[in-house]
Amino acid sequence: MGKWATGIFTSIHGGLGAGLYAVKELGVSTVHLHTPTAEYRTPDRTAEIKEQFGQAGIEITVVFVGFEDDDYTTPEIVKDTVGLVPQDRRAHRLQETLEISDFARALGVDAVGMHLGFVPTDPTDADFAAVVDVTRQVCDRCAQNGQHFNLETGQETADELLAFIQAVERDNLAVNFDPANMILYNAGEPLEALDKVGEYVKSVHCKDASKTRKPGQPWYEDAPLGSGDVGIEDFLRKLNNLGYSGPLTIEREYSPDQAGDIKEALQLLENLRAKILGS
Ligand code: MG
């Protein structure tokens, strides 16, 4: 894989980003794969998925953990429902996360990504220690499987994320940097955050967002890549300065014209890659 191969965040059945058929049509060489549900993670079906992507010449670079009862309706609901932080869901979700690490290994993928949830920000909070503990368990399974565990950014500020990573103390704990999430969750300026957590960044989402919110709207707006407030060219220049050479993975979830937006995003990334890298 060359430097900054383009990619798309996809799932087996469409949904987030684009399905395999759409990915093939777009001609990208890498994807982040949102994990399918348990019924699709049997050995037979896993082998089938591996073969389908292999035949299409598409490399899965990160498998993303998610759960059927994750709810992204509002940031407050995210706090109660997403990741390993909600206490009422933690134990069984930890087990499923470990299984997803094994599923990723069976696919030959060396990174697992996840929205861990809103980590408690006070290190003296008892739940902070409990979330550190489950994160260690995930890191240790990932290490056995030869994987990094990449935390999706945005639910906390860069400083809080750094403090959490340092508390976990695991060499394979890393960051999937999503600059738009910093805006969507109001967690700080994306490019300043990248300066702080840059050494941990092992994968990225190329996603944009606007710092505007209509009355009554629970979220800031996702925006087509290049049209929001992230500053995509500066984002890529910073990644280049950090020595990041992994894929540029487009994430575009909520759009009336998802395919059109992704096509334009691919073109934008090609243009910026030529401008910045000269290739
Ligand atoms: Mg993302």
Side-chain angles (χ1 to χ4, degrees):
M1 187 182 11
K3 179 167 176 167
W4 290 2
T6 43
I8 300 176
F9 196 169
T10 189
S11 62
I12 304 288
H13 307 288
L16 280 184
L20 179 58
Y21 178 76
V23 172
K24 276 192 213 171
E25 290 286 294
L26 289 162
V28 298
S29 58
T30 73
V31 293
H32 286 181
L33 181 69
H34 189 269
T35 189
T37 50
E39 70 209 269
Y40 291 94
R41 301 197 301 260
T42 62
D44 282 356
R45 286 187 154 168
T46 303
E48 215 171 278
I49 293 167
K50 188 175 182 185
E51 193 182 318
Q52 282 173 346
F53 278 90
Q55 278 180 356
I58 295 166
E59 182 180 350
I60 303 169
T61 57
V62 183
V63 169
F64 264 81
V65 176
F67 306 101
E68 284 183 275
D69 51 349
D70 284 338
D71 185 341
Y72 286 90
T73 309
T74 69
E76 276 307 308
I77 294 175
V78 169
K79 205 169 264 185
D80 292 337
T81 69
V82 169
L84 294 177
V85 174
Q87 289 183 15
D88 56 334
R89 306 167 188 222
R90 192 178 295 156
H92 71 266
R93 284 184 169 189
L94 170 63
Q95 283 315 309
E96 188 165 358
T97 303
L98 301 179
E99 288 164 22
I100 291 167
S101 169
D102 294 347
F103 164 75
R105 181 193 178 144
L107 291 175
V109 178
D110 66 4
V112 171
M114 186 176 193
H115 272 283
L116 200 64
F118 282 84
V119 171
T121 52
D122 177 3
T124 63
D125 183 321
D127 209 43
F128 184 91
V131 176
V132 165
D133 180 62
V134 290
T135 306
R136 284 179 177 159
Q137 293 184 56
V138 177
C139 286
D140 292 347
R141 177 68 70 94
C142 286
Q144 286 168 18
N145 285 334
Q147 296 157 338
H148 279 101
F149 181 44
N150 299 359
L151 300 178
E152 175 89 348
T153 54
Q155 281 131 335
E156 44 280 311
T157 65
D159 289 327
E160 289 161 354
L161 182 60
L162 271 182
F164 180 75
I165 289 172
Q166 282 155 10
V168 175
E169 296 183 299
R170 289 295 186 272
D171 290 343
N172 65 328
L173 185 58
V175 163
N176 180 80
F177 196 88
D178 184 326
N181 282 353
M182 306 302 297
I183 293 172
L184 294 171
Y185 290 95
N186 207 11
E189 286 300 319
L191 301 188
E192 287 172 19
L194 181 56
D195 284 334
K196 291 182 177 174
V197 303
E199 65 176 302
Y200 294 101
V201 173
K202 297 286 182 201
S203 57
V204 300
H205 285 160
C206 291
K207 188 168 90 185
D208 216 335
S210 298
K211 294 176 188 170
T212 55
R213 212 188 267 205
K214 298 182 190 97
Q217 186 184 9
W219 287 94
Y220 293 98
E221 287 279 352
D222 279 39
L225 199 68
S227 73
D229 292 314
V230 165
I232 294 299
E233 180 168 346
D234 289 342
F235 174 56
L236 296 188
R237 287 188 186 280
K238 269 190 196 287
L239 287 175
N240 195 32
N241 292 340
L242 286 167
Y244 177 81
S245 61
L248 303 177
T249 306
I250 296 164
E251 180 181 19
R252 182 75 177 132
E253 296 165 74
Y254 310 107
S255 165
D257 183 19
Q258 197 179 44
D261 287 351
I262 290 174
K263 260 184 209 161
E264 285 186 21
L266 283 168
Q267 191 58 55
L268 176 67
L269 292 181
E270 292 295 340
N271 295 347
L272 289 175
R273 184 167 53 191
K275 187 172 170 188
I276 296 168
L277 302 183
S279 65

